[in-house]
Amino acid sequence: MTRPFALGLQLAKLTLGVALCGTTAAYAAEPDALAQRLIRLRAEVEQLNGDLTLLRDEQRTTLSALNAQKAELSASVERQQLAARELREKLTTKRAEQADAGLAGDSLKPQVLAALAVLRTQVAAGLPFKVDERLGEMDAFQVQVENGTLPPQRAVNRLWAFFEDEFRMTHENGVYSQTIALGEERVLAEVAKVGTMALYFNTQDGRVGQAVRGGDGWRFVVVEDKDDAARIAAYYDALRKQIRQGWFELPVAVAGGVR
């Protein structure tokens, strides 16, 4: 073998070695690419699996919320049905009470009117203190009872209030403004009462007197005695000073005059 041939043989071996190395590198690079792709696919699968798990959790949460709302709605319906039953029962009870009250009212009405008539007679015959006003209130009350505007149960309370007012008058003293019949004229006067025992008057023109009860009812009489007039004036002065208790000398009305 000559030297050129030996060099060619060596060159051929070197070329074949390089080719084999290139093929080996190519085969070695292909598994790396597949591995990288596999890693990416695995990451995508894990991401999708995580998204699916999250979606399932959200669906379970929504389903739980819907079930809770359903249970709450069912409970609300039951509560409303219970409330409706209770209201129906109360309505039935109230209707029965109303019917009983109507029957009781029918029996109370004549009793109220009878008691009112007795009180009205007493007021008309009693001390002539604002009689027209007091009787006017009673007349209006009577109309309300008779036409049913005022239920009998409330009418009883109002009637009792009338009696309380009349009782309170028996121990109240004070000065009031009232129109009185003095002879043939009607004049505005200050009246001072001692409970329901006596009633005195003082007109703007200086006449002083008291209410006197006679056979034909009450009338207002001027006091002619100067001492009696002074006593009445002193009583007025005490009442204006809010002195409602103490010793007072006053003329006493008797049938036909004053003494």
Side-chain angles (χ1 to χ4, degrees):
M1 183 178 297
T2 61
R3 185 176 182 82
F5 178 78
L7 290 173
L9 182 59
Q10 291 179 356
L11 181 61
K13 290 181 179 178
L14 180 60
T15 302
L16 179 60
V18 171
L20 290 175
C21 289
T23 301
T24 303
Y27 282 123
E30 185 175 354
D32 290 339
L34 292 175
Q36 293 296 327
R37 185 178 180 186
L38 181 61
I39 291 172
R40 288 195 301 272
L41 291 175
R42 182 175 296 173
E44 292 176 1
V45 169
E46 291 178 354
Q47 179 65 36
L48 292 174
N49 187 52
D51 293 342
L52 180 60
T53 301
L54 181 61
L55 180 60
R56 287 176 178 174
D57 292 340
E58 291 177 352
Q59 290 179 342
R60 280 195 294 267
T61 301
T62 302
L63 184 60
S64 298
L66 291 175
N67 289 332
Q69 291 180 0
K70 181 180 179 181
E72 178 62 26
L73 289 174
S74 298
S76 177
V77 170
E78 292 179 358
R79 288 194 297 268
Q80 292 179 0
Q81 291 175 345
L82 178 61
R85 286 196 298 269
E86 292 177 349
L87 288 175
R88 284 195 294 269
E89 293 174 357
K90 290 181 179 180
L91 179 60
T92 301
T93 303
K94 290 297 182 182
R95 285 175 176 173
E97 292 177 354
Q98 185 177 6
D100 294 340
L103 295 176
D106 292 339
S107 61
L108 282 175
K109 184 174 179 178
Q111 298 180 28
V112 169
L113 293 176
L116 178 65
V118 173
L119 182 61
R120 196 180 190 286
T121 300
Q122 293 178 354
V123 171
L127 196 71
F129 172 70
K130 295 184 179 293
V131 174
D132 292 340
E133 296 178 13
R134 291 153 65 196
L135 292 180
E137 292 180 0
M138 294 182 186
D139 290 341
F141 169 72
Q142 181 175 346
V143 171
Q144 291 177 337
V145 174
E146 290 176 342
N147 62 21
T149 304
L150 188 64
Q153 290 78 10
R154 291 177 57 190
V156 171
N157 295 333
R158 185 69 184 95
L159 178 64
W160 181 251
F162 278 124
F163 276 95
E164 287 183 330
D165 290 341
E166 295 301 317
F167 177 74
R168 185 166 53 251
M169 282 182 55
T170 62
H171 59 271
E172 283 184 346
N173 305 328
V175 177
Y176 308 87
S177 178
Q178 177 180 331
T179 300
I180 64 173
L182 194 57
E184 298 297 328
E185 60 179 327
R186 294 185 64 82
V187 298
L188 182 64
E190 280 188 331
V191 295
K193 71 184 190 70
V194 184
T196 53
M197 296 175 54
L199 184 66
Y200 302 94
F201 69 86
N202 182 13
T203 64
Q204 294 180 353
D205 58 7
R207 287 177 289 181
V208 176
Q210 72 177 134
V212 179
R213 187 172 188 174
D216 56 350
W218 290 89
R219 59 192 179 92
F220 289 92
V221 178
V222 175
V223 173
E224 301 294 347
D225 186 274
K226 294 182 179 181
D227 292 336
D228 287 341
R231 295 186 182 98
I232 294 174
Y235 182 59
Y236 268 91
D237 185 61
L239 292 178
R240 292 191 184 98
K241 294 178 180 178
Q242 303 299 318
I243 302 174
R244 303 183 184 278
Q245 296 180 351
W247 178 267
F248 301 99
E249 290 187 6
L250 294 168
V252 179
V254 295
V258 179
R259 72 179 182 188

